[in-house]
Amino acid sequence: MPQLVSELNLPHLDMMGLERQQAIDAIVAARSVHWLARTDLGYAVTRLQDVTAILRDQRFHSALSVIEQSPELEGTHFHDERRTESILTMEGEGHARLRRLVAPAFTPASANRLRPTMRAVVGELVDRIADQGECELVADVCDPYPIPIICELLGAPPEDWKLFSAWATDIFRIFNNNLAEDMPLIVRAGEELTDYVGEMIAARRADPRDDLLSDLIAIEQEGDRLSTEEMTMLAQAVLMAGTDTTRNQLACSVALFTEHPDQWALLAERPELAPRAVEESMRYLGAVRGTARFASEDIVYRDVLFPQGTLVATSLAGANRDPEAFEEPDVFDITRERGAAQMTFGAGIHFCMGAALARAELQEALPLLARRLPHLARNGDIEWKPSTFGIWGPARLPLSFGS
Ligand code: HEM
């Protein structure tokens, strides 16, 4: 007979306001007591096996849709019945169909086509700071880096990069726990982006090019079609999910390397280690530390009954430091060969659609930075974003380096 989750005697896991190491310590302490923890909003799993199982269990649905149902969004386009639901919150056959249709546009091969652009963009950003001997990496490199790549992917011209950057910043406010104040900005950015992409789709229909929107239109012409609304939603999802994540992950990874100068030097010397350096830094210090699901029906998992509606946080950071999955999980080692795959891209049907692109971006940026910014050191305190932020990393990363 399964036990009702609310009747279990569970450790409490509250990560709000905790600093980086404190958060990891809290997870380790909680899971030494039980595989499941209680949180202020529901429950949390932190072991790789449980995190993967919950993310793969399609009876658990994305909790992002819960944010969208919040009362602050009443009357906005998030509640508009004509609005196409985001791929991030869709479930079931509708979600599977979209993933199937767009998969060819998000393969490693299509990400590789953008590598020359990635190298050129990081190269230019580094040219501006290389002679200064110091920089604030977030503003100088991490923030500007992903927008040109996403714009190039979509096919938007360089003169519009600034517009995309501002929309991405505003749309992301939805994750910052301040909906009441941020809502007008979020809604306006969403509407402007929708209009812009609508115009781009019309232009690409008349004159196809070598970009994502033209690819999506071509898919539309092969039997099963994507509607204009679905393409607009996808472009918005790519901008939303593909910019702040990459920015923060790059900053997290470099911040981590400042604590491990020997490995920074090793990466400069052996750029072929870039793919492993990316996986290891994403494992050790991921910019997305967790996601969440809710039970769409009564679910029994590991002999525990989760009643319909129960919220379960899946700690990607916890899974990434699980000693059952990784040998010496607290050691940062870019030559690490064995162990499970890192979890910062999630798992299951919502596994990051842009993982190949993000990997390519980081694999291009990190070795280039290691070569051009040797003898890297902190040049003041790192200012971390509040722990409430869904996508997290340094807000400021002051660095000094040699030449
Ligand atoms: C280092 C950078 C990135 C990280 C850490 C990251 C992480 C994630 C995670 C954890 C999820 C799953 C969320 C969940 O299960 O609730 C996700 C989904 C997604 N990501 Fe990424 N992401 C990154 C970069 C990108 C890029 C560059 C793109 C776009 C090209 C992108 C597009 C998406 C999309 C569209 C989804 C939704 C997929 C679905 O729901 O089926 N991501 N990402």
Side-chain angles (χ1 to χ4, degrees):
M1 190 59 186
Q3 252 190 305
L4 187 61
V5 66
S6 57
E7 288 173 359
L8 294 175
N9 188 10
L10 296 175
H12 194 86
L13 186 57
D14 179 11
M15 314 254 278
M16 288 291 170
L18 293 191
E19 290 186 6
R20 204 178 111 194
Q21 190 54 43
Q22 289 172 328
I24 299 288
D25 292 345
I27 290 170
V28 171
R31 77 171 160 221
S32 68
V33 180
H34 201 283
W35 61 267
L36 192 60
R38 203 180 300 282
T39 68
D40 287 346
L41 297 174
Y43 300 88
V45 287
T46 61
R47 298 178 190 189
L48 186 130
Q49 192 193 349
D50 297 314
V51 169
T52 312
I54 301 278
L55 291 177
R56 287 190 181 153
D57 188 330
Q58 297 200 31
R59 296 169 301 169
F60 281 104
H61 288 184
S62 170
L64 285 180
S65 57
V66 177
I67 301 184
E68 295 194 349
Q69 280 150 21
S70 87
E72 281 96 343
L73 293 169
E74 198 78 41
T76 70
H77 77 299
F78 286 96
H79 284 196
D80 186 338
E81 277 169 20
R82 289 160 304 170
R83 175 177 177 264
T84 306
E85 192 187 353
S86 165
I87 192 164
L88 283 144
T89 56
M90 286 173 86
E91 303 288 344
E93 181 42 38
H95 177 266
R97 169 184 162 266
L98 267 187
R99 288 288 299 232
R100 245 189 340 263
L101 280 172
V102 302
F106 288 94
T107 57
S110 56
N112 287 346
R113 284 209 301 268
L114 290 167
R115 282 185 189 258
T117 309
M118 295 169 190
R119 278 195 286 275
V121 173
V122 193
E124 260 176 50
L125 292 169
V126 173
D127 283 346
R128 290 186 209 158
I129 54 168
D131 293 337
Q132 295 170 11
E134 59 178 31
C135 71
E136 195 287 280
L137 198 84
V138 172
D140 291 338
V141 176
C142 304
D143 273 2
Y145 179 38
I147 294 284
I149 314 301
I150 294 287
C151 286
E152 178 84 12
L153 175 79
L154 291 171
E159 59 271 23
D160 291 342
W161 290 354
K162 279 214 170 76
L163 276 176
F164 275 80
S165 183
W167 289 329
T169 305
D170 283 344
I171 291 173
F172 262 110
R173 293 176 197 270
I174 198 165
F175 297 119
N176 291 354
N177 284 347
N178 196 13
L179 281 181
E181 208 170 288
D182 288 340
M183 196 41 57
L185 291 171
I186 298 171
V187 170
R188 199 186 57 201
E191 287 170 354
E192 286 177 8
L193 175 64
T194 303
D195 290 346
Y196 184 100
V197 173
E199 282 170 27
M200 262 178 91
I201 291 170
R204 292 300 181 274
R205 275 193 215 281
D207 178 17
R209 307 233 180 116
D210 185 17
D211 57 35
L212 180 69
L213 286 180
S214 303
D215 287 353
L216 296 179
I217 291 166
I219 290 169
E220 190 190 10
Q221 289 160 354
E222 290 165 10
D224 194 3
R225 291 149 182 256
L226 290 170
S227 65
T228 302
E229 289 73 28
E230 283 171 330
M231 286 189 269
T232 310
M233 176 278 285
L234 283 166
Q236 184 158 343
V238 162
L239 180 68
M240 261 186 88
T243 46
D244 224 31
T245 42
T246 310
R247 287 172 172 157
N248 280 286
Q249 187 57 58
L250 183 58
C252 280
S253 296
V254 177
L256 182 56
F257 273 106
T258 62
E259 295 161 15
H260 302 271
D262 50 328
Q263 306 219 25
W264 191 242
L266 183 65
L267 181 59
E269 202 180 298
R270 295 181 52 198
E272 73 278 9
L273 285 175
R276 277 200 225 161
V278 169
E279 299 312 302
E280 178 67 348
S281 60
M282 288 188 72
R283 180 190 74 80
Y284 200 90
L285 194 59
V288 181
R289 292 182 297 173
T291 180
R293 297 291 182 264
F294 71 92
S296 67
E297 56 186 84
D298 288 355
I299 299 172
V300 176
Y301 172 70
R302 289 186 72 168
D303 227 19
V304 174
L305 173 64
F306 295 84
Q308 184 177 22
T310 308
L311 196 75
V312 182
T314 46
S315 171
L316 304 175
N320 278 329
R321 298 286 190 103
D322 182 347
E324 282 170 31
F326 303 97
E327 221 170 83
E328 296 193 286
D330 298 328
V331 173
F332 174 63
D333 175 7
I334 63 166
T335 63
R336 183 186 284 272
E337 275 178 17
R338 285 192 309 233
Q342 57 89 6
M343 290 290 292
T344 304
F345 287 122
I349 63 164
H350 291 287
F351 177 81
C352 179
M353 200 167 82
L357 187 74
R359 284 189 161 115
E361 286 176 287
L362 296 164
Q363 288 166 5
E364 292 302 331
L366 281 176
L368 191 145
L369 289 169
R371 185 168 50 81
R372 304 268 323 262
L373 311 180
H375 313 297
L376 193 70
R378 289 181 184 178
N379 193 18
D381 286 342
I382 300 182
E383 199 184 297
W384 294 92
K385 291 180 180 163
S387 59
T388 46
F389 278 30
I391 297 163
W392 171 88
R396 281 177 47 80
L397 179 50
L399 298 175
S400 67
F401 44 85
S403 50

PDB file of all heavy atoms in Angstrom, residues 331-345:
ATOM      1  N   VAL A 331      34.839  17.095  -7.032  1.00  0.00           N
ATOM      2  CA  VAL A 331      36.100  17.462  -7.686  1.00  0.00           C
ATOM      3  C   VAL A 331      35.788  17.968  -9.099  1.00  0.00           C
ATOM      4  O   VAL A 331      35.045  17.332  -9.841  1.00  0.00           O
ATOM      5  CB  VAL A 331      37.041  16.233  -7.759  1.00  0.00           C
ATOM      6  CG1 VAL A 331      38.281  16.546  -8.594  1.00  0.00           C
ATOM      7  CG2 VAL A 331      37.424  15.780  -6.350  1.00  0.00           C
ATOM      8  N   PHE A 332      36.346  19.145  -9.420  1.00  0.00           N
ATOM      9  CA  PHE A 332      36.177  19.710 -10.765  1.00  0.00           C
ATOM     10  C   PHE A 332      37.377  19.288 -11.613  1.00  0.00           C
ATOM     11  O   PHE A 332      38.517  19.625 -11.287  1.00  0.00           O
ATOM     12  CB  PHE A 332      36.093  21.242 -10.669  1.00  0.00           C
ATOM     13  CG  PHE A 332      36.057  21.940 -12.000  1.00  0.00           C
ATOM     14  CD1 PHE A 332      35.015  21.733 -12.886  1.00  0.00           C
ATOM     15  CD2 PHE A 332      37.077  22.822 -12.377  1.00  0.00           C
ATOM     16  CE1 PHE A 332      34.980  22.378 -14.122  1.00  0.00           C
ATOM     17  CE2 PHE A 332      37.049  23.477 -13.598  1.00  0.00           C
ATOM     18  CZ  PHE A 332      35.993  23.250 -14.471  1.00  0.00           C
ATOM     19  N   ASP A 333      37.123  18.529 -12.659  1.00  0.00           N
ATOM     20  CA  ASP A 333      38.224  17.960 -13.432  1.00  0.00           C
ATOM     21  C   ASP A 333      37.808  17.869 -14.906  1.00  0.00           C
ATOM     22  O   ASP A 333      36.997  17.016 -15.282  1.00  0.00           O
ATOM     23  CB  ASP A 333      38.551  16.565 -12.868  1.00  0.00           C
ATOM     24  CG  ASP A 333      39.608  15.851 -13.694  1.00  0.00           C
ATOM     25  OD1 ASP A 333      40.188  16.481 -14.610  1.00  0.00           O
ATOM     26  OD2 ASP A 333      39.852  14.661 -13.432  1.00  0.00           O
ATOM     27  N   ILE A 334      38.403  18.730 -15.724  1.00  0.00           N
ATOM     28  CA  ILE A 334      37.969  18.775 -17.135  1.00  0.00           C
ATOM     29  C   ILE A 334      38.512  17.603 -17.958  1.00  0.00           C
ATOM     30  O   ILE A 334      38.220  17.500 -19.151  1.00  0.00           O
ATOM     31  CB  ILE A 334      38.316  20.122 -17.826  1.00  0.00           C
ATOM     32  CG1 ILE A 334      39.827  20.340 -17.886  1.00  0.00           C
ATOM     33  CG2 ILE A 334      37.605  21.278 -17.164  1.00  0.00           C
ATOM     34  CD1 ILE A 334      40.231  21.467 -18.855  1.00  0.00           C
ATOM     35  N   THR A 335      39.299  16.753 -17.312  1.00  0.00           N
ATOM     36  CA  THR A 335      39.726  15.544 -18.038  1.00  0.00           C
ATOM     37  C   THR A 335      38.879  14.346 -17.608  1.00  0.00           C
ATOM     38  O   THR A 335      39.148  13.216 -18.022  1.00  0.00           O
ATOM     39  CB  THR A 335      41.217  15.228 -17.794  1.00  0.00           C
ATOM     40  OG1 THR A 335      41.394  14.943 -16.406  1.00  0.00           O
ATOM     41  CG2 THR A 335      42.108  16.386 -18.200  1.00  0.00           C
ATOM     42  N   ARG A 336      37.866  14.592 -16.790  1.00  0.00           N
ATOM     43  CA  ARG A 336      37.006  13.511 -16.297  1.00  0.00           C
ATOM     44  C   ARG A 336      36.431  12.707 -17.470  1.00  0.00           C
ATOM     45  O   ARG A 336      35.893  13.273 -18.407  1.00  0.00           O
ATOM     46  CB  ARG A 336      35.857  14.142 -15.499  1.00  0.00           C
ATOM     47  CG  ARG A 336      34.906  13.167 -14.852  1.00  0.00           C
ATOM     48  CD  ARG A 336      33.748  13.937 -14.228  1.00  0.00           C
ATOM     49  NE  ARG A 336      34.102  14.596 -12.976  1.00  0.00           N
ATOM     50  CZ  ARG A 336      34.032  14.025 -11.773  1.00  0.00           C
ATOM     51  NH1 ARG A 336      33.611  12.788 -11.658  1.00  0.00           N
ATOM     52  NH2 ARG A 336      34.370  14.695 -10.687  1.00  0.00           N
ATOM     53  N   GLU A 337      36.556  11.406 -17.383  1.00  0.00           N
ATOM     54  CA  GLU A 337      36.064  10.577 -18.496  1.00  0.00           C
ATOM     55  C   GLU A 337      34.823   9.791 -18.139  1.00  0.00           C
ATOM     56  O   GLU A 337      33.924   9.620 -18.937  1.00  0.00           O
ATOM     57  CB  GLU A 337      37.154   9.587 -18.930  1.00  0.00           C
ATOM     58  CG  GLU A 337      38.129  10.211 -19.913  1.00  0.00           C
ATOM     59  CD  GLU A 337      39.237   9.272 -20.301  1.00  0.00           C
ATOM     60  OE1 GLU A 337      39.095   8.052 -20.084  1.00  0.00           O
ATOM     61  OE2 GLU A 337      40.254   9.771 -20.804  1.00  0.00           O
ATOM     62  N   ARG A 338      34.819   9.269 -16.901  1.00  0.00           N
ATOM     63  CA  ARG A 338      33.718   8.366 -16.560  1.00  0.00           C
ATOM     64  C   ARG A 338      32.578   9.101 -15.879  1.00  0.00           C
ATOM     65  O   ARG A 338      32.711  10.247 -15.483  1.00  0.00           O
ATOM     66  CB  ARG A 338      34.241   7.267 -15.637  1.00  0.00           C
ATOM     67  CG  ARG A 338      35.063   6.227 -16.400  1.00  0.00           C
ATOM     68  CD  ARG A 338      35.280   5.066 -15.504  1.00  0.00           C
ATOM     69  NE  ARG A 338      35.811   5.551 -14.232  1.00  0.00           N
ATOM     70  CZ  ARG A 338      36.914   5.098 -13.681  1.00  0.00           C
ATOM     71  NH1 ARG A 338      37.580   4.158 -14.257  1.00  0.00           N
ATOM     72  NH2 ARG A 338      37.342   5.565 -12.532  1.00  0.00           N
ATOM     73  N   GLY A 339      31.471   8.412 -15.734  1.00  0.00           N
ATOM     74  CA  GLY A 339      30.347   8.984 -14.992  1.00  0.00           C
ATOM     75  C   GLY A 339      29.156   9.202 -15.890  1.00  0.00           C
ATOM     76  O   GLY A 339      29.243   9.087 -17.116  1.00  0.00           O
ATOM     77  N   ALA A 340      28.047   9.529 -15.262  1.00  0.00           N
ATOM     78  CA  ALA A 340      26.810   9.750 -16.012  1.00  0.00           C
ATOM     79  C   ALA A 340      26.931  11.045 -16.825  1.00  0.00           C
ATOM     80  O   ALA A 340      27.865  11.808 -16.653  1.00  0.00           O
ATOM     81  CB  ALA A 340      25.655   9.863 -15.021  1.00  0.00           C
ATOM     82  N   ALA A 341      25.957  11.276 -17.704  1.00  0.00           N
ATOM     83  CA  ALA A 341      25.918  12.547 -18.423  1.00  0.00           C
ATOM     84  C   ALA A 341      25.440  13.628 -17.455  1.00  0.00           C
ATOM     85  O   ALA A 341      24.595  13.359 -16.593  1.00  0.00           O
ATOM     86  CB  ALA A 341      24.959  12.431 -19.600  1.00  0.00           C
ATOM     87  N   GLN A 342      26.013  14.835 -17.582  1.00  0.00           N
ATOM     88  CA  GLN A 342      25.567  15.922 -16.701  1.00  0.00           C
ATOM     89  C   GLN A 342      24.101  16.254 -17.007  1.00  0.00           C
ATOM     90  O   GLN A 342      23.611  16.011 -18.109  1.00  0.00           O
ATOM     91  CB  GLN A 342      26.491  17.136 -16.825  1.00  0.00           C
ATOM     92  CG  GLN A 342      26.646  17.723 -18.229  1.00  0.00           C
ATOM     93  CD  GLN A 342      25.611  18.779 -18.562  1.00  0.00           C
ATOM     94  OE1 GLN A 342      24.834  19.170 -17.707  1.00  0.00           O
ATOM     95  NE2 GLN A 342      25.594  19.227 -19.802  1.00  0.00           N
ATOM     96  N   MET A 343      23.431  16.851 -16.018  1.00  0.00           N
ATOM     97  CA  MET A 343      21.970  16.977 -16.084  1.00  0.00           C
ATOM     98  C   MET A 343      21.464  18.398 -16.333  1.00  0.00           C
ATOM     99  O   MET A 343      20.264  18.644 -16.285  1.00  0.00           O
ATOM    100  CB  MET A 343      21.376  16.487 -14.757  1.00  0.00           C
ATOM    101  CG  MET A 343      21.487  15.004 -14.548  1.00  0.00           C
ATOM    102  SD  MET A 343      20.396  14.109 -15.669  1.00  0.00           S
ATOM    103  CE  MET A 343      18.800  14.588 -15.008  1.00  0.00           C
ATOM    104  N   THR A 344      22.374  19.341 -16.581  1.00  0.00           N
ATOM    105  CA  THR A 344      21.944  20.745 -16.646  1.00  0.00           C
ATOM    106  C   THR A 344      21.047  21.051 -17.857  1.00  0.00           C
ATOM    107  O   THR A 344      20.402  22.099 -17.896  1.00  0.00           O
ATOM    108  CB  THR A 344      23.180  21.672 -16.537  1.00  0.00           C
ATOM    109  OG1 THR A 344      23.846  21.323 -15.332  1.00  0.00           O
ATOM    110  CG2 THR A 344      22.843  23.141 -16.491  1.00  0.00           C
ATOM    111  N   PHE A 345      20.981  20.147 -18.832  1.00  0.00           N
ATOM    112  CA  PHE A 345      20.030  20.327 -19.936  1.00  0.00           C
ATOM    113  C   PHE A 345      18.700  19.613 -19.663  1.00  0.00           C
ATOM    114  O   PHE A 345      17.848  19.534 -20.563  1.00  0.00           O
ATOM    115  CB  PHE A 345      20.610  19.789 -21.251  1.00  0.00           C
ATOM    116  CG  PHE A 345      21.706  20.634 -21.847  1.00  0.00           C
ATOM    117  CD1 PHE A 345      22.967  20.105 -22.098  1.00  0.00           C
ATOM    118  CD2 PHE A 345      21.471  21.971 -22.180  1.00  0.00           C
ATOM    119  CE1 PHE A 345      23.974  20.880 -22.666  1.00  0.00           C
ATOM    120  CE2 PHE A 345      22.472  22.755 -22.748  1.00  0.00           C
ATOM    121  CZ  PHE A 345      23.727  22.207 -22.987  1.00  0.00           C
TER     122      PHE A 345
END
